[in-house]
C-alpha cells in the first residue's frame, strides 16, 4: 500500500551548484563526456563490482573483468545516452544496463575475447574485494536493495575522502579527527563527547560545535556528489531520499 | 415521570397481564379476579422497589437481578397463600413472577427520566 | 580510510540530515518520524525547559515555502485535536524548521494493530472528525488524511498531524498538481482538480480510513463508508460532521442516513439493540408454555 504523500511536479528552489555529470555524459562535448564518465565510474564502480560478485555470483577475476568491461562498453557505446530522466533514476537505469550487459556477456561468453584480465581503468579491486568479505548480506536482500546500499556506501566513501582533503586544506584536521572518532566509529565503540573533549583538550561545547561543522561539510559534499550524479531536480530529490531517508 | 412511578405503572401492567394468563389454566379460571388483583399488586410492589433501586444503583445486571429476586420473593408470598382447595402453586406463580420482576428491573434501569434525557 | 559498516552507514545517514541547532534554543534528540516533507525530531526547549517536536525539511527536499505554510496553517486552526505550533525559524544551513507540541501516543495504523472493540473504534473515528470539521469551518481542507497522520494519545485523545499540503480554500490553487496519498485520495485529487477540492475531499479520505478501521463492518457501516467514498462529490456526506453524526446514529442503534432499511433490517436492528429484553420475554413465554404443558400432562 502506498502510504507516502505524493506531491506532483517538483518545483525546486535549491541552487544547482554543480553541473550534472549525467547530463554531460549524455550530451556534452567529448571532453565533458570523458570527465562526466570519470565521475560516474568513481561513484558506481564499487557497487557494480560488488553487485556482479554477489548477485551474479561471479568469481573475483571475472567480476574485475566484467566491471572494467561494463564501463568501457558504456563509454564506447554511449550507454548513458539512452537514459531518460522521466522514466526513473539514473541509478536504476545503470543497474538495468548492467543486468543486460551481464546477461549478454554470460550468454556469449566473450569475456576473454575482449582481452580479459587487462586492467584498463585504475580501480582498486583489492580494497573492494576486501570490503566484500565484511558485507553483511541479508537473505532477503533484493538486487535493487543490495545495489542501492552499495551505491550509498560508495557515495559516502567518496564524500569522506573529499571531506578529509577539504579539512586538511583548511587546517581543520582536529575537526576531522573528532568526526572520525565519533561518527565513523562503530556504535559500540563510540566515545562520548566528554571523553573526546578530555582526549583532545577541548570543552564539550567545542566538540559539539566542531562535529556540527564537519557534519555540515559532509552534508554539503554529499549533496554536491548527488547533484553530479543526477540530471533533474526530481531525480535529485528522489535520490536524496533514497540515500538519506530509506531504511538500510 | 421518575423511575419509581415508571416501575409502579409497568409492574402493575405486567403483573395484571401475568395474572390474566391464569385463564389458560381451567382449574383456576373461576378465581381469575383474585389472581389478577393479587398479581397486579405484586407487580406494583416489585415495580416500586425496582424503580427505587434503579434510582440508587445504575447497573443493568444488578437491576435485573434485583427485579428477579423481588419478583421471586413476592411471588413466594402469593404462592404461600393456598387456594380454596388448599393447594399451593409455587412453581406456577414463582417462576413467571421472577421473570416479570427481571423485566421490570431491566426496564427501570433503561428508563431515562425526561430531564436526564435532555441533559444527555 | 576504514571500510564503512552498515551501522556506520546508518549513523552517517542520520547525522547528515540532522539539523544544525546552534543559534536556536533547542537541543536535538532522537528521530521521531519521517513524513513526506520532513523529519521530526524530539528536541528540548532550553528556554522553557520542555520537550517539543521539531520538524525540519528532509535534506533532499527543497520546498521550504510549503513547510512555512504548514506552520502558518497550523497557527490558524487552534483546536485540541490539532497540534499547536510553538515556533518557526530557519536553521543555519537554510532549512526551515518549526517546533510543535510533542505528542505522546501511537499512530492510528499502529493503534489499530491491537484489537479494539468496534464501538470504541467508531467513537475514536468520531473524535477524529471533530478537528477536521473545525478546520473545514476555517476554510482549510487537510487533503492528506490517512492513519499515519493521526495520532491516538494515551487517553484516547486524537490529534490530526501533517497539515503541510492543506488547501486553504480562500487561496486560489491551479489545477494539475496531484497532492495526497494514493488509497486515501479522492477522485478529484487524483485528477489534479485542485479547484474542486473542498471538505468533501476529506470526507472521502475519512471514508477510506473508516473502511480500514473496522475489519468486518455491519451493513449500515459499509453503507456509511460507501457514501463517504462515493466517486461523485455530491453523493458524499457534505461534511465530516454529517459523517460523524451517522456513525453516532449507528452507535445508538438508530437507522443511519446512508442505509435505507428493509423491514427485515429494521427488525434485526431492533432485535440486536434489545437482546436482553427479548431474551427475558422469550424466557417468560417459554416458562409459561412449559408450565401449561406440565399442567396438562
Amino acid at each position: 500500500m502506498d502510504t507516502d504523500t505524493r506531491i506532483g511536479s517538483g518545483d525546486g528552489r535549491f541552487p544547482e551548484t554543480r553541473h550534472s555529470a549525467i547530463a554531460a555524459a549524455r550530451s556534452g562535448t567529448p571532453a565533458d563526456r570523458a570527465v562526466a564518465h570519470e565521475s560516474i565510474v568513481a561513484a558506481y564502480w564499487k557497487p557494480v563490482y560488488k553487485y556482479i560478485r554477489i548477485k551474479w555470483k561471479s568469481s573475483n577475476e571475472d567480476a574485475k573483468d566484467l566491471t572494467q568491461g561494463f564501463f568501457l562498453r558504456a563509454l564506447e557505446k554511449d550507454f548513458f545516452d539512452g537514459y531518460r530522466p522521466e522514466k526513473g533514476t539514473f541509478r536504476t537505469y545503470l543497474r538495468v544496463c548492467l543486468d543486460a550487459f551481464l546477461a549478454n556477456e554470460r550468454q556469449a561468453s566473450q569475456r576473454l575475447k575482449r582481452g580479459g584480465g587487462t586492467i584498463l581503468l585504475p580501480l582498486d579491486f583489492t580494497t573492494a574485494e576486501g570490503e566484500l568479505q565484511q558485507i553483511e548480506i541479508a537473505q532477503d536482500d533484493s538486487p535493487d536493495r543490495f545495489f542501492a546500499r552499495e551505491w550509498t556506501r560508495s557515495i559516502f566513501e567518496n564524500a569522506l575522502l573529499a571531506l578529509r582533503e577539504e579539512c586538511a586544506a583548511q587546517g581543520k584536521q582536529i575537526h576531522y579527527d573528532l568526526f572520525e572518532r565519533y561518527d565513523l566509529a562503530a556504535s559500540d565503540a563510540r566515545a562520548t563527547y566528554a571523553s573526546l573533549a578530555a582526549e583532545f583538550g577541548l570543552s564539550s561545547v567545542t566538540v559539539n560545535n566542531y562535529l556540527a561543522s564537519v557534519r555540515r561539510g559532509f552534508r554539503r559534499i554529499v549533496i554536491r556528489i548527488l547533484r553530479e550524479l543526477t540530471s533533474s531536480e526530481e531525480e535529485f530529490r528522489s535520490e536524496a531520499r533514497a540515500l538519506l531517508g530509506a531504511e538500510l | 415521570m421518575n423511575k419509581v412511578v415508571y416501575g409502579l405503572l409497568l409492574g402493575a401492567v405486567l403483573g395484571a397481564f401475568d395474572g390474566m394468563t391464569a385463564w389458560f389454566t381451567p382449574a383456576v379460571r373461576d378465581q381469575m379476579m383474585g389472581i389478577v388483583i393479587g398479581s397486579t399488586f405484586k407487580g406494583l410492589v416489585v415495580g416500586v422497589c425496582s424503580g427505587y433501586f434503579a434510582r440508587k444503583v445504575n447497573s443493568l445486571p444488578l437491576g435485573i437481578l434485583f427485579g428477579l429476586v423481588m419478583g421471586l420473593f413476592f411471588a413466594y408470598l402469593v404462592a404461600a397463600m393456598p387456594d380454596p382447595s388448599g393447594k399451593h402453586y409455587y412453581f406456577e406463580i414463582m417462576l413467571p413472577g421472577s421473570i416479570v420482576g427481571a423485566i421490570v428491573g431491566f426496564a427501570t434501569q433503561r428508563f431515562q427520566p425526561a430531564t436526564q434525557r435532555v441533559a444527555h | 580510510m576504514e571500510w564503512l559498516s552498515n551501522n556506520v552507514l546508518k549513523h552517517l545517514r542520520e547525522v547528515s540530515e540532522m539539523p544544525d541547532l546552534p543559534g536556536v534554543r533547542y537541543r536535538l534528540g532522537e528521530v521521531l518520524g519521517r513524513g513526506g516533507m520532513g523529519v521530526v525530531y524530539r528536541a528540548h526547549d532550553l528556554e522553557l525547559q520542555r520537550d517539543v517536536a521539531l520538524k525540519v525539511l528532509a535534506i533532499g527536499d527543497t520546498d521550504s515555502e510549503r513547510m512555512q505554510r504548514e506552520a502558518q496553517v497550523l497557527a490558524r486552526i487552534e483546536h485540541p485535536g490539532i497540534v499547536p505550533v510553538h515556533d518557526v525559524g530557519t536553521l543555519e544551513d537554510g532549512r526551515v524548521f518549526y517546533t510543535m507540541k510533542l505528542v505522546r501516543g501511537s499512530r492510528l495504523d499502529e493503534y489499530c494493530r491491537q484489537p479494539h472493540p468496534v464501538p470504541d473504534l467508531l467513537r475514536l473515528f468520531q473524535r477524529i472528525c471533530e478537528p477536521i470539521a473545525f478546520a473545514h469551518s476555517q476554510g482549510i481542507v487537510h487533503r492528506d488524511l490517512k492513519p499515519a497522520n493521526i495520532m491516538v494519545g494515551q487517553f484516547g485523545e486524537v490529534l490530526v498531524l501533517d497539515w503541510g499540503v492543506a488547501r486553504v480554500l480562500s487561496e486560489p490553487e491551479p489545477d494539475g498538481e496531484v497532492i495526497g496519498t494514493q488509497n486515501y485520495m479522492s477522485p478529484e485529487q487524483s485528477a489534479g482538480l485542485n479547484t474542486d477540492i473542498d471538505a468533501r475531499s476529506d470526507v472521502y479520505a475519512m471514508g477510506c480510513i473508516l473502511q480500514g478501521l473496522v475489519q468486518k463492518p455491519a451493513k449500515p457501516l459499509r453503507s456509511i463508508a460507501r457514501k463517504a467514498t462515493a466517486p461523485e462529490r455530491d453523493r458524499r456526506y457534505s461534511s465530516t460532521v454529517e459523517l460523524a453524526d451517522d456513525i453516532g446514529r449507528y452507535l445508538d442503534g438508530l437507522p443511519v442516513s446512508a442505509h435505507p432499511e428493509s423491514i427485515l433490517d429494521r427488525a434485526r436492528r431492533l432485535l440486536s439493540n434489545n437482546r436482553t429484553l427479548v431474551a427475558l420475554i422469550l424466557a417468560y413465554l417459554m416458562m409459561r408454555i412449559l408450565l401449561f404443558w406440565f399442567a396438562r400432562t
Side-chain angles (χ1 to χ4, degrees):
Chain A
M1 188 167 73
D2 183 5
T3 53
D4 285 340
T5 304
R6 191 169 124 201
I7 302 174
S9 53
D11 179 25
R13 276 170 288 272
F14 251 14
E16 295 218 17
T17 48
R18 277 285 281 258
H19 192 60
S20 160
I22 308 301
R26 288 167 57 218
S27 56
T29 62
D32 283 349
R33 286 161 85 101
V35 173
H37 197 263
E38 209 172 287
S39 299
I40 294 170
V41 172
Y44 280 99
W45 79 266
K46 266 193 189 175
V48 165
Y49 173 74
K50 290 175 186 172
Y51 182 77
I52 298 172
R53 283 279 285 125
I54 302 297
K55 291 296 168 185
W56 281 77
K57 298 185 173 53
S58 295
S59 70
N60 177 357
E61 288 304 318
D62 282 356
K64 282 181 193 173
D65 288 347
L66 288 166
T67 306
Q68 295 275 6
F70 172 68
F71 285 110
L72 288 172
R73 186 74 62 85
L75 189 62
E76 285 164 21
K77 304 278 179 192
D78 295 329
F79 271 3
F80 304 141
D81 270 5
Y83 170 58
R84 295 285 168 269
E86 63 278 9
K87 289 195 173 166
T89 62
F90 180 76
R91 173 165 53 90
T92 310
Y93 175 76
L94 186 136
R95 199 177 63 75
V96 171
C97 285
L98 177 63
D99 279 335
F101 170 80
L102 294 172
N104 241 352
E105 284 293 296
R106 191 159 276 190
Q107 208 176 15
S109 300
Q110 285 174 335
R111 182 177 47 79
L112 287 173
K113 283 183 202 167
R114 210 183 48 241
T118 318
I119 304 291
L120 299 163
L121 294 167
L123 306 177
D124 181 7
F125 286 112
T126 316
T127 313
E129 185 59 29
E131 287 174 12
L132 261 187
Q133 307 310 316
Q134 303 185 59
I135 287 178
E136 308 135 39
I137 303 162
Q139 289 300 315
D140 58 346
D141 239 2
S142 68
D144 225 6
R145 205 171 151 84
F146 177 84
F147 192 71
R149 192 176 47 223
E150 292 315 314
W151 170 76
T152 305
R153 210 187 309 272
S154 168
I155 288 187
F156 277 10
E157 278 173 5
N158 289 344
L160 285 171
L161 285 174
L163 179 71
R164 190 163 60 184
E165 277 174 22
E166 194 179 285
C167 284
Q170 293 173 353
K172 289 182 172 175
Q173 192 54 47
I174 197 164
H175 294 59
Y176 187 82
D177 289 346
L178 276 171
F179 179 72
E180 195 167 40
R181 288 293 310 279
Y182 190 82
D183 288 322
L184 301 186
S187 51
D188 48 355
R190 191 166 294 141
T192 61
Y193 279 19
S195 67
L196 284 176
E199 191 185 326
F200 284 79
L202 304 165
S203 69
S204 288
V205 176
T206 312
V207 169
N208 188 18
N209 290 344
Y210 280 13
L211 278 176
S213 125
V214 187
R215 285 169 186 164
R216 200 156 48 228
F218 178 68
R219 178 162 59 235
R220 188 174 25 76
I221 294 171
V222 168
I223 288 177
R224 192 184 69 203
I225 294 176
L226 263 189
R227 285 265 179 230
E228 266 175 23
L229 294 174
T230 51
S231 60
S232 69
E233 187 61 32
E234 204 167 14
E235 191 192 358
F236 166 72
R237 270 210 241 180
S238 146
E239 289 296 57
R241 278 211 187 110
L243 192 76
L244 301 163
E247 286 297 310
L248 269 172
Chain B
M1 188 159 59
N2 62 34
K3 281 180 185 261
V4 178
V5 178
Y6 177 74
L8 183 146
L9 291 175
L10 185 73
V13 170
L14 291 185
F17 171 80
D18 187 37
M20 278 189 261
T21 56
W23 188 82
F24 293 103
T25 311
V28 295
R29 228 176 249 176
D30 52 341
Q31 303 159 44
M32 275 294 289
M33 187 56 78
I35 290 173
V36 170
I37 291 172
S39 182
T40 306
F41 184 71
K42 168 184 67 94
L44 186 146
V45 176
V46 172
V48 170
C49 294
S50 296
Y52 184 74
F53 182 80
R55 255 167 60 163
K56 299 286 171 197
V57 181
N58 185 18
S59 159
L60 192 64
L62 284 181
I64 293 173
L65 188 71
F66 183 83
L68 188 118
V69 172
M70 285 290 111
L72 204 63
F73 174 69
F74 285 102
Y76 169 77
L77 293 184
V78 174
M81 295 186 286
D83 79 339
S85 65
K87 203 178 168 190
H88 292 278
Y89 293 93
Y90 285 110
F91 278 111
E92 290 83 345
I93 297 174
M94 285 176 69
L95 288 179
S98 62
I99 297 178
V100 169
I103 293 174
V104 175
F106 169 87
T108 48
Q109 284 289 336
R110 274 288 180 90
F111 177 73
Q112 299 281 322
T115 48
Q116 239 177 297
R117 231 175 309 171
V118 171
H120 185 71
Chain C
M1 192 181 62
E2 271 192 46
W3 179 73
L4 300 175
S5 69
N6 285 357
N7 255 338
V8 173
L9 217 55
K10 184 169 179 271
H11 175 73
L12 275 179
R13 289 161 73 140
E14 280 166 10
V15 298
S16 315
E17 62 176 0
M18 246 181 206
D20 297 324
L21 292 180
V24 292
R25 57 196 248 200
Y26 305 99
R27 193 174 59 220
L28 201 68
E30 75 274 19
V31 174
L32 294 176
R34 286 167 206 278
M37 198 169 54
V39 186
V40 183
Y41 297 88
R42 179 195 296 274
H44 187 72
D45 184 335
L46 297 167
E47 274 178 30
L48 293 174
Q49 289 298 322
R50 63 175 176 184
D51 280 348
V52 295
L54 184 142
K55 186 168 182 174
V56 64
L57 269 181
I59 193 165
D61 259 307
T62 54
D63 209 345
S64 57
E65 260 177 39
R66 203 182 277 275
M67 183 96 163
Q68 221 149 10
R69 200 173 141 271
E70 177 179 19
Q72 285 162 359
V73 165
L74 276 173
R76 274 174 61 174
I77 37 178
E78 267 184 60
H79 187 278
I82 296 168
V83 191
V85 170
H86 298 319
D87 190 12
V88 188
T90 309
L91 298 174
E92 280 193 356
D93 60 12
R95 286 186 286 167
V96 172
F97 76 90
Y98 70 77
T99 58
M100 54 190 159
K101 182 184 162 187
L102 182 67
V103 180
R104 290 174 174 86
S106 46
R107 283 170 10 179
L108 184 61
D109 48 346
E110 294 162 352
Y111 179 84
C112 288
R113 276 182 213 138
Q114 312 289 327
H116 297 282
V118 173
D120 287 359
L121 289 173
L122 293 177
R123 275 187 278 272
L124 186 82
F125 182 84
Q126 283 184 299
R127 289 199 294 278
I128 301 169
C129 288
E130 287 167 16
I132 298 162
F134 177 76
H136 291 166
S137 74
Q138 304 298 304
I140 291 166
V141 178
H142 186 288
R143 208 160 35 169
D144 193 22
L145 291 169
K146 57 184 172 184
N149 282 344
I150 294 160
M151 290 285 286
V152 183
Q154 273 175 306
F155 305 102
E157 70 275 24
V158 293
L159 283 150
V160 181
L161 313 176
D162 225 336
W163 295 76
V165 293
R167 163 113 161 81
V168 180
L169 295 176
S170 58
E171 294 171 9
E173 204 174 290
D175 286 344
E177 198 178 19
V178 176
I179 297 172
T181 300
Q182 214 184 345
N183 295 335
Y184 296 93
M185 224 189 305
S186 62
E188 59 270 20
Q189 279 171 270
S190 305
L193 301 172
N194 292 327
T195 40
D196 281 358
I197 287 170
D198 61 17
R200 289 169 293 181
S201 308
D202 280 350
V203 167
Y204 183 94
M206 287 304 290
C208 298
I209 292 173
L210 180 63
Q211 280 167 342
L213 210 57
V214 184
Q215 292 310 315
K216 286 178 185 160
K219 260 189 194 174
L221 269 185
R222 272 206 301 269
S223 302
I224 292 176
R226 207 175 306 129
K227 181 172 175 180
T229 55
E232 303 84 13
R233 284 185 304 158
D234 297 338
R235 289 183 48 211
R236 289 179 215 152
Y237 293 97
S238 64
S239 66
T240 49
V241 177
E242 258 189 31
L243 172 61
D245 282 352
D246 233 7
I247 294 284
R249 276 192 286 275
Y250 172 77
L251 281 170
D252 290 344
L254 299 170
V256 300
S257 76
H259 185 71
E261 277 186 327
S262 65
I263 293 175
L264 205 67
D265 283 338
R266 191 179 165 81
R268 204 176 292 141
R269 179 170 56 79
L270 288 173
L271 268 179
S272 75
N273 286 347
N274 299 291
R275 268 188 215 140
T276 316
L277 184 64
V278 171
L280 286 172
I281 291 170
L282 281 178
Y284 177 84
L285 292 175
M286 290 283 289
M287 185 79 70
R288 272 279 168 231
I289 290 165
L290 280 174
L291 285 172
F292 290 138
W293 186 71
F294 276 122
R296 275 168 190 268
T297 54

